[in-house]
Amino acid sequence: MRNTRVVVIGGSHLGRHLSESLTARGADVITASPRHGEHIDLADESSIKRFAEAAGEIDHVVSTAAMPANGPLDDLDAEGIRRAFDAKVVGPLLLAKHLRVTRSFTFFSGVAAWRPQRHRTVMATTNGAVKFLVEALAVELAPVRVNAVAPGIVDSGVWPADFLSTTADRNLTRNVGRPEDIAQAVLYAVTNPYVTGTVLHVDGGGRLAG
Ligand SMILES: NC(=O)c1ccc[n+]([C@@H]2O[C@H](COP(=O)([O-])OP(=O)(O)OC[C@H]3O[C@@H](n4cnc5c(N)ncnc54)[C@H](OP(=O)(O)O)[C@@H]3O)[C@@H](O)[C@H]2O)c1
């Protein structure tokens, strides 16, 4: 990854781990988000444009951004739903529009799309949309490659221990993910020159488990 400029959007949890992991492999990493590193807000096109102008040419972009809108439908409002789509769908489209990227984009989907649950309808829909987004953008932006990583539950420091152990019992692999498992998948998407329009499921088979 030496002499490679990578923008990682999102500086908390998986984004932070990913930035550290790419930096350790010699990449020149720019972290950007509303709260960490350079400022970017995927819900605000002007901030994306400003970021793009300052950043110049970039080899790879990885976006971990998420603004989930969970809960019963009665509790959801249009603004929250739109923010969830801004992070996972509209924002990535605007990144593709404004950033000068020469090699690849990697976006984050998630197992919620393949295992819908009550009160997680927006999360399932936005993560599912990422699958079609990367297929369409791969065609649109070729030869720049566009992929997604779809994590299952990852022990990123936020989930309670009992939830992690129940999830591990249910997963086909009998474990939950570690941030390094996700970083490894991102590295594959970023570096493999023959992979585009693909969703890499890194979920312990959770989407297939009974
Ligand atoms: N952790 C899991 O178990 C799991 C499971 C399935 C899928 N995923 C997916 O993996 C990705 C990373 O997960 P995570 O656990 O690291 O999530 P997280 O801690 O909630 O991080 C989400 C990131 O999104 C960034 N963000 C929020 N609003 C944004 C905006 N308007 N513009 C730009 N960035 C914005 C945040 O930036 P700041 O740095 O400023 O806070 C934060 O770094 C997410 O897409 C999530 O859906 C995670």
Side-chain angles (χ1 to χ4, degrees):
M1 298 297 292
R2 295 203 182 282
N3 303 317
T4 305
R5 298 187 79 213
V6 186
V7 169
V8 175
I9 299 187
S12 52
H13 303 116
L14 299 186
R16 180 168 47 81
H17 186 277
L18 198 54
S19 288
E20 289 169 2
S21 171
L22 290 164
T23 302
R25 286 175 163 81
D28 174 10
V29 176
I30 304 165
T31 303
S33 80
R35 296 185 307 136
H36 297 98
E38 304 288 316
H39 181 78
I40 196 167
D41 177 355
L42 294 197
D44 173 8
E45 183 170 6
S46 63
S47 95
I48 297 173
K49 194 162 180 283
R50 271 196 303 278
F51 176 83
E53 283 163 3
E57 196 169 275
I58 296 154
D59 295 288
H60 306 280
V61 173
V62 181
S63 178
T64 70
M67 288 188 275
N70 292 329
L73 287 181
D74 280 351
D75 293 350
L76 299 180
D77 57 38
E79 201 186 319
I81 295 167
R82 285 197 194 99
R83 274 201 303 273
F85 276 88
D86 281 336
K88 295 256 176 177
V89 183
V90 181
L93 286 165
L94 295 174
L95 291 172
K97 171 182 172 185
H98 289 291
L99 291 179
R100 279 201 288 137
V101 175
T102 56
R103 292 165 72 186
S104 82
F105 287 90
T106 305
F107 298 117
F108 268 66
S109 176
V111 71
W114 285 266
R115 267 197 90 86
Q117 290 181 32
R118 273 168 66 74
H119 305 164
R120 298 283 184 275
T121 299
V122 178
M123 185 179 265
T125 309
T126 53
N127 282 308
V130 174
K131 170 183 160 61
F132 295 100
L133 175 80
V134 300
E135 291 179 0
L137 270 183
V139 172
E140 179 89 23
L141 300 180
V144 171
R145 298 178 303 102
V146 187
N147 295 293
V149 171
I153 297 305
V154 178
D155 185 2
S156 53
V158 293
W159 300 112
D162 57 340
F163 174 69
L164 291 175
S165 93
T166 314
T167 305
D169 287 346
R170 198 179 60 73
N171 280 344
L172 301 183
T173 52
R174 306 288 180 257
N175 57 7
V176 292
R178 303 163 304 167
E180 51 267 43
D181 300 328
I182 305 306
Q184 193 180 25
V186 170
L187 197 66
Y188 172 78
V190 166
T191 56
N192 192 311
Y194 206 41
V195 173
T196 194
T198 297
V199 179
L200 295 169
H201 295 280
V202 190
D203 63 3
R207 75 195 181 285
L208 308 171

